[in-house]
C-alpha cells in the first residue's frame, strides 16, 4: 500500500530536519509508541502497540535511516514483528522544502503487512495506516512548529 501526504510546519527546514532525528520528539509523536531507543545515529529499535480493526498487537522492530541529505530529508525503513498478529514492514521518503520561513514536509510511505493483520482487509489496513500517518505528522508538525512557551511574569 502507498500513502502520500504533505504538511506545512511553522519552523525552519533545519529545525524540522533536526526534529526528525530527535528520539524524544519521535517517540512522543509515533502513535502507540511505548519505547524508542537510538542504537546509532541511523538505527533505532521501537516497541509500538497498535489496534487495526479487531486485531491488537504489540510490535517490536528496527528502524533505519538512509539516503540522509540534511536538511532536505531522508529515507526511513522499518520492520516490526507482532507475534501471532503478524508483521509490518515498509519505508517512507521524507522531503523538506522551504516555504518562506516555514517548511513543507512531504512523505511517501510504502508498507506491507502479513499474518493475522493482513486478514482484516486491505481497505481497513490502508485507512488505519493513513490515520496513523496523519496522527504522527500532525502531532510532529504541531510540536515542531509550536511557538516557544511564554515565561510567566513575576
Amino acid at each position: 500500500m502507498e500513502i502520500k501526504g504533505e504538511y506545512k510546519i511553522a519552523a525552519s527546514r533545519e529545525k524540522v530536519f533536526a526534529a526528525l532525528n530527535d528520539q524524544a520528539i519521535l517517540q512522543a509523536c509515533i502513535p502507540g509508541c511505548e519505547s524508542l531507543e537510538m542504537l546509532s545515529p541511523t538505527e533505532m529499535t521501537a516497541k509500538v502497540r497498535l489496534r487495526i480493526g479487531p486485531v491488537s498487537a504489540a510490535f517490536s522492530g528496527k528502524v533505519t535511516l538512509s539516503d540522509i541529505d540534511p536538511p532536505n530529508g531522508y529515507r526511513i525503513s522499518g520492520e516490526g514483528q507482532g507475534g501471532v498478529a503478524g508483521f509490518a514492514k515498509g519505508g517512507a521518503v521524507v522531503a523538506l522544502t522551504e516555504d518562506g520561513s516555514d517548511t513543507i514536509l512531504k512523505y511517501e510511505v510504502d508498507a506491507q503487512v502479513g499474518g493475522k493483520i493482513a486478514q482484516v482487509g486491505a481497505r481497513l489496513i490502508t485507512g488505519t495506516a493513513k490515520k496513523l500517518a496523519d496522527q504522527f505528522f500532525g502531532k510532529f508538525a504541531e510540536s515542531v512548529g509550536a511557538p516557544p512557551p511564554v515565561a510567566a511574569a513575576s
Side-chain angles (χ1 to χ4, degrees):
M1 92 189 81
E2 289 186 16
I3 301 167
K4 296 179 183 184
E6 182 176 300
Y7 281 85
K8 186 172 189 171
I9 303 173
S12 70
R13 192 166 49 150
E14 289 76 13
K15 182 178 178 185
V16 174
F17 187 82
L20 282 170
N21 291 280
D22 184 303
Q23 173 188 350
I25 291 173
L26 292 175
Q27 183 171 348
C29 295
I30 296 170
C33 187
E34 295 178 343
S35 70
L36 183 67
E37 186 179 330
M38 297 291 283
L39 302 176
S40 77
T42 59
E43 290 185 320
M44 297 170 256
T45 59
K47 286 191 171 135
V48 178
R49 185 170 295 281
L50 293 174
R51 179 169 205 80
I52 301 174
V55 180
S56 182
F59 289 89
S60 295
K62 186 174 177 181
V63 178
T64 306
L65 306 179
S66 59
D67 301 334
I68 301 169
D69 180 18
N72 301 309
Y74 60 46
R75 177 179 234 335
I76 184 167
S77 305
E79 194 168 325
Q81 295 294 325
V84 295
F87 70 90
K89 66 179 179 177
V93 174
V94 179
L96 306 174
T97 53
E98 288 180 356
D99 184 25
S101 62
D102 297 338
T103 300
I104 303 294
L105 181 152
K106 290 184 182 179
Y107 66 91
E108 291 185 29
V109 176
D110 182 26
Q112 300 88 38
V113 294
K116 200 174 196 181
I117 295 170
Q119 296 171 1
V120 300
R123 187 180 303 146
L124 181 60
I125 291 169
T126 301
T128 301
K130 174 79 172 128
K131 183 176 113 186
L132 292 172
D134 283 342
Q135 284 176 352
F136 170 79
F137 286 110
K139 196 168 185 179
F140 179 81
E142 189 178 291
S143 66
V144 176
V150 178
S154 49

